[in-house]
Amino acid sequence: MAAPASEPPPTERQVCYDHLFANPRFHLALVTLLAITLMFSQLAGNGLPNYDDCYYAQKAKEILQTGDWITLHYNGEPRSDNPPLYMWFVAFSYKIFGISEYAARFPSALLGVATVVLVYFFARWLFGFWAGFFSAFVLTTTLLFVRYARRAMVDTTLSFFVCLALFALVLALQKDRRYFLLWGASISLAVLTKSVLGLFPLVITVIYLLTAKRIKLFLNPYFLLGLLTILLLGGSWYLHQYLTLGQQFIDVHFRWLIIQRGFFLKPEPWYAHLSYFKQLALHYWPWLPVLVFGMARWARRAGRKDENTYLLVLWVGTILLALSLQQSRIGWYMLPIFPAAAIICGATLQELLRERGKLIFTKTCGVLAIVAFLAINATPLQLSPPRETDVRVLAPYVKHFASRGARVTAFRQVPHRLNNVLLFYSDHAAFPIYEGYPELAQALGEPALVLCIVDRSDLETVVESVPGIYVLRKTDRLALISNQPLDTTDVRTW
């Protein structure tokens, strides 16, 4: 009798899928759940930071109050410094959850998780499923990215659309030219999120196609349609604002916000331009050694027609260079480079680790995810410190009495530092803000009810200098005073 034929050995794909910790679906589920845990846990409470969170949250609130979804307002006045897309997201979030800190942060956290998922599929397309898992895990554990994804700010949203645009570019080049339409739409939404910084994917694309000698693609019909999409969709709000506000829009949005604030704040030494590299060196741990190793390794490889690695190095380098030329160097401006940095780290780990090392890494990630979930949800651990506590304590009193006709003022306060928070939590801003005791005494001497916010350090002098005032509430740093005795028992405090 003939010996039975032996079964063929299992393929590498079958072996990977047979093992839970080498299963791409498990990888995606793990990084997604970890991202949700880190970005959504304790999202409500502890207060919104003064700037930019309260500023954007207030603008979104005034969309619902005014019914104007195109021209944003702040304290009832039109403001054209920021494009509206993120504020639209927050306004929709308010409609679902009500006006709250959670609703203000929700779109940023959601798009933070979406960016992690997008990075998984982007890296998987470029380098394989292990690179997808490692890259998504690196981004999920990038502390700066997680911190700002939990904030009511525009930069995580910008990072998502930058990443989506460049993924669409890769798909257009490697799969189907029609993805240029998604590329154009993504850049348009990035521009509607953060103005000229949303053009990063367009700049990277042009440099990439020129240096890769793929100039013919500039005449591709779908590429031209993508450009037309950027012009029409991305430029629609800017055209509307110019037609509505005229020269005021040009002066505020372009001359002040982009040109003067971006490049001409004050003279500075040459080494100030290295600020972002310093911030990466200080804060991109534990992944900094992997990123530096991967960038150095891939920079050498980029000259061998390795277009995938070249695009990632170009992505990081272009944005870092452009940001370093500006004078407004703030840590969260770096967020759009983190998806590319994560993919570089993920692909580097895929090359460095053997199969056993990859499985050990995955199991360790699983354990860390469980520990993180328990530490965040079953212990007193706080992911975000309390913010703007003093103003939040006073805000219910301001709201209660201002809604009954009291005029709200302040003494020796920085206007935006006080009013961004006060507006969001009380619907009222302090105006005017007095600098001298005679002016304050005159205001508080009026027969109408006047409230005034002062520093605790000034309170004793104010009491001595201005007769007939009443202290309604004191906090560690501030005090709320009035020129009439008031009953505070009906005030609903937070």
Side-chain angles (χ1 to χ4, degrees), residues 275-348:
S275 171
Y276 283 112
F277 297 93
K278 179 181 178 181
Q279 292 185 55
L280 278 175
L282 291 175
H283 300 296
Y284 199 67
W285 292 90
W287 305 116
L288 181 64
V290 183
L291 176 63
V292 172
F293 179 81
M295 287 283 287
R297 188 176 186 183
W298 290 14
R300 294 194 300 269
R301 191 185 306 174
R304 303 180 212 165
K305 297 184 178 181
D306 187 343
E307 294 185 349
N308 292 340
T309 58
Y310 174 57
L311 175 62
L312 294 170
V313 173
L314 185 64
W315 179 349
V316 174
T318 300
I319 295 179
L320 272 181
L321 177 61
L323 292 178
S324 297
L325 293 176
Q326 298 184 38
Q327 289 196 12
S328 296
R329 300 184 191 94
I330 305 174
W332 55 76
Y333 287 6
M334 290 193 297
L335 260 63
I337 74 167
F338 287 146
I343 296 174
I344 292 173
C345 291
T348 302

Side-chain angles (χ1 to χ4, degrees), residues 201-311:
L202 177 60
V203 174
I204 293 168
T205 298
V206 171
I207 297 174
Y208 177 77
L209 294 179
L210 287 174
T211 53
K213 299 181 180 179
R214 304 188 70 169
I215 300 176
K216 291 183 179 179
L217 284 172
F218 288 127
L219 300 178
N220 182 274
Y222 289 109
F223 180 82
L224 295 176
L225 283 174
L227 289 177
L228 184 62
T229 301
I230 298 170
L231 180 64
L232 296 180
L233 178 59
S236 57
W237 178 79
Y238 299 86
L239 177 61
H240 176 276
Q241 292 297 281
Y242 178 71
L243 294 176
T244 303
L245 302 174
Q247 189 63 35
Q248 176 188 346
F249 171 65
I250 301 297
D251 291 341
V252 171
H253 188 84
F254 290 101
R255 289 185 179 175
W256 175 75
L257 181 68
I258 295 175
I259 298 177
Q260 184 173 347
R261 188 178 172 210
F263 296 97
F264 298 105
L265 286 176
K266 58 184 178 180
E268 58 182 9
W270 65 268
Y271 53 81
H273 297 284
L274 302 177
S275 171
Y276 283 112
F277 297 93
K278 179 181 178 181
Q279 292 185 55
L280 278 175
L282 291 175
H283 300 296
Y284 199 67
W285 292 90
W287 305 116
L288 181 64
V290 183
L291 176 63
V292 172
F293 179 81
M295 287 283 287
R297 188 176 186 183
W298 290 14
R300 294 194 300 269
R301 191 185 306 174
R304 303 180 212 165
K305 297 184 178 181
D306 187 343
E307 294 185 349
N308 292 340
T309 58
Y310 174 57
L311 175 62

Side-chain angles (χ1 to χ4, degrees), residues 402-431:
S403 65
R404 287 158 174 77
R407 187 162 68 89
V408 184
T409 65
F411 181 67
R412 293 183 178 176
Q413 300 295 311
V414 179
H416 72 267
R417 177 171 175 78
L418 171 65
N419 281 330
N420 286 348
V421 185
L422 192 62
L423 259 176
F424 179 73
Y425 286 99
S426 76
D427 293 322
H428 298 276
F431 182 83

Side-chain angles (χ1 to χ4, degrees), residues 69-85:
W69 289 75
I70 307 300
T71 299
L72 301 178
H73 290 74
Y74 176 82
N75 197 22
E77 298 292 331
R79 286 287 180 95
S80 55
D81 48 347
N82 303 119
L85 185 62

Side-chain angles (χ1 to χ4, degrees), residues 56-109:
Y56 296 144
Q58 178 62 25
K59 282 187 169 183
K61 187 166 67 172
E62 295 194 30
I63 289 176
L64 303 184
Q65 293 171 344
T66 64
D68 191 341
W69 289 75
I70 307 300
T71 299
L72 301 178
H73 290 74
Y74 176 82
N75 197 22
E77 298 292 331
R79 286 287 180 95
S80 55
D81 48 347
N82 303 119
L85 185 62
Y86 182 74
M87 276 60 80
W88 290 348
F89 290 161
V90 176
F92 281 119
S93 181
Y94 288 160
K95 283 182 170 289
I96 297 171
F97 302 109
I99 296 174
S100 63
E101 297 168 5
Y102 179 86
R105 293 181 175 121
F106 180 86
S108 181

